[in-house]
Amino acid sequence: MGKPRILVVDDSKLSAKMIEDRLAASGFQVDVAFSAEEAIANLSTPDAVLPDLVISDVVMPGMDGYQFCQWLRGNPATVHIPVIMLTSKGGVSAKVDGFQAGADDYLVKPVDPVELEMRIKVLLARMKAAQATAGRTMDASQARIISVFSLRGGVGVTSVAVNLAVALAQLWQTEVPLVDLALESGHCALMLDLKPKHSLADLADRGPEAIDDALLDGVLIRHDSGVRVLSAPPSPELADTITPTLVGTVLTMLQPQFPYLVVDTPSSFDEVTLAALDQSDVIVLLLTPEIACLKVTTAALD
Ligand SMILES: Nc1ncnc2c1ncn2[C@@H]1O[C@H](COP(=O)(O)OP(=O)(O)O)[C@@H](O)[C@H]1O
Ligand SMILES: [Mg+2]
């Protein structure tokens, strides 16, 4: 691996030069831009070599450091690059503005060079660790199936399942199916303010053999977050039509198409739930600090 590449953006030539010399002496490859506009022009060329980290001044003529940071965060190619704001603008509200613009760190000049170097190294190390984890999870050709479960009702299983699906979709900028197996009282769609026109019952009508990718895609209701809800049947009496085989087929078909699947479950060990738990890579078992809940959780673990 080559030297980490750092882009310094500062309208003061003297300040830029001081940072550049210092970082170059510490073994970094340093690029300098004297305005946010210049940096953006360089980063936007088709053959641009992206930096591993950006150090930006805040007060600059034209586009300021906050706007520049927002541009970086709004651009898919640069959204993950760590940004340190280095500025003479002190005060809590300036820092808050910096963090709100998407900065990872905020240092007030004059900064101790040793401290600057340490903060750069910490951010680079964290970035590298995050990329390694992302590579491991996202390279997997099969979705990880995450089921959320509790034998006690009302502890927040559905809330956690819905929030987990939304968080995964947003974190990885991908679609995440949320399969609602609380067949008699499912309300994943309701929690996302969706009015489902389709549900698992549509699939049960056709039978497991007749399900293809197009049919499955049609019943996964889209939410703006990227979550795709496979809703529970619209009425409780249809719950019986959903068989363990059907659910097994659906999970198996969805698995190669997405990095994650989240499953919301009812608070019982019915056959459909057991089939889903069996197929899960991760089971999130929820409990609240009450004796009754501890008792059923112990039973569930057994
Ligand atoms: N962390 C929480 N704090 C407060 N209320 C919560 C929390 N999680 C869930 N709830 C509320 O508790 C109720 C039951 O939540 P739900 O997710 O439907 O539980 P379950 O699926 O386990 O039955 C809902 O009214 C929900 O809004
Ligand atoms: Mg629930």
Side-chain angles (χ1 to χ4, degrees):
M1 193 182 139
K3 294 177 177 182
R5 205 176 180 102
I6 298 184
L7 169 63
V8 176
V9 185
D10 199 323
D11 63 305
S12 152
K13 295 211 161 58
L14 178 65
S15 173
K17 179 79 182 142
M18 278 167 57
I19 303 169
E20 181 184 7
D21 286 353
R22 174 73 208 189
L23 295 181
S26 305
F28 297 106
Q29 165 93 37
V30 187
D31 302 313
V32 175
F34 296 112
S35 71
E37 288 83 351
E38 183 188 337
I40 289 175
N42 292 340
L43 292 172
S44 304
T45 59
D47 52 354
V49 183
L50 295 174
D52 299 302
L53 183 140
V54 171
I55 298 178
S56 175
D57 189 16
V58 170
V59 186
M60 294 183 280
M63 196 181 216
D64 67 20
Y66 302 137
Q67 291 166 319
F68 176 51
C69 195
Q70 279 164 348
W71 181 87
L72 290 169
R73 292 297 175 245
N75 180 341
T78 56
V79 62
H80 300 297
I81 299 177
V83 176
I84 298 179
M85 287 197 170
L86 183 58
T87 167
S88 47
K89 204 171 167 182
V92 171
S93 85
K95 284 190 187 177
V96 168
D97 289 346
F99 286 120
Q100 276 176 347
D104 299 280
D105 208 344
Y106 193 108
L107 293 173
V108 179
K109 293 177 193 173
V111 64
D112 184 296
V114 177
E115 181 178 358
L116 176 61
E117 199 179 319
M118 280 320 295
R119 290 188 188 240
I120 291 171
K121 286 187 171 158
V122 166
L123 283 174
L124 288 175
R126 191 186 310 143
M127 197 62 205
K128 210 168 149 190
Q131 279 166 347
T133 320
R136 269 206 306 280
T137 353
M138 299 298 283
D139 282 350
S141 57
Q142 295 258 310
R144 290 175 74 78
I145 302 182
I146 306 174
S147 290
V148 188
F149 181 70
S150 166
L151 271 180
R152 182 129 168 115
V155 296
V157 168
T158 303
S159 309
V160 169
V162 169
N163 281 294
L164 181 62
V166 170
L168 288 170
Q170 297 195 331
L171 181 64
W172 299 114
Q173 294 293 301
T174 180
E175 293 195 322
V176 175
L178 171 62
V179 182
D180 190 347
L181 293 186
L183 300 174
E184 291 175 11
S185 61
H187 54 277
C188 286
L190 180 74
M191 269 197 194
L192 289 166
D193 202 18
L194 294 171
K195 294 185 185 65
K197 289 205 183 71
H198 298 285
S199 76
L200 277 163
D202 299 41
L203 300 177
D205 282 349
R206 306 286 194 96
E209 335 64 61
I211 301 175
D212 58 21
D213 287 342
L215 177 65
L216 204 49
D217 189 63
V219 295
L220 290 174
I221 299 137
R222 262 171 231 282
H223 183 255
D224 288 344
S225 60
V227 171
R228 302 283 306 272
V229 181
L230 180 47
S231 194
S235 63
E237 65 270 19
L238 290 171
D240 285 346
T241 64
I242 315 300
T243 61
T245 315
L246 178 80
V247 170
T249 306
V250 167
L251 294 179
T252 305
M253 288 182 70
L254 289 175
Q255 213 170 8
Q257 301 179 41
F258 301 93
Y260 293 99
L261 298 181
V262 178
V263 182
D264 180 27
T265 61
S267 48
S268 68
F269 275 137
D270 60 69
E271 288 190 346
V272 168
T273 306
L274 281 175
L277 293 178
D278 262 352
Q279 223 171 318
S280 300
D281 299 289
V282 176
I283 298 173
V284 179
L285 192 60
L286 288 196
L287 69 160
T288 50
E290 309 157 72
I291 293 293
C293 195
L294 290 176
K295 189 157 178 280
V296 293
T297 304
T298 314
L301 285 170
D302 286 346

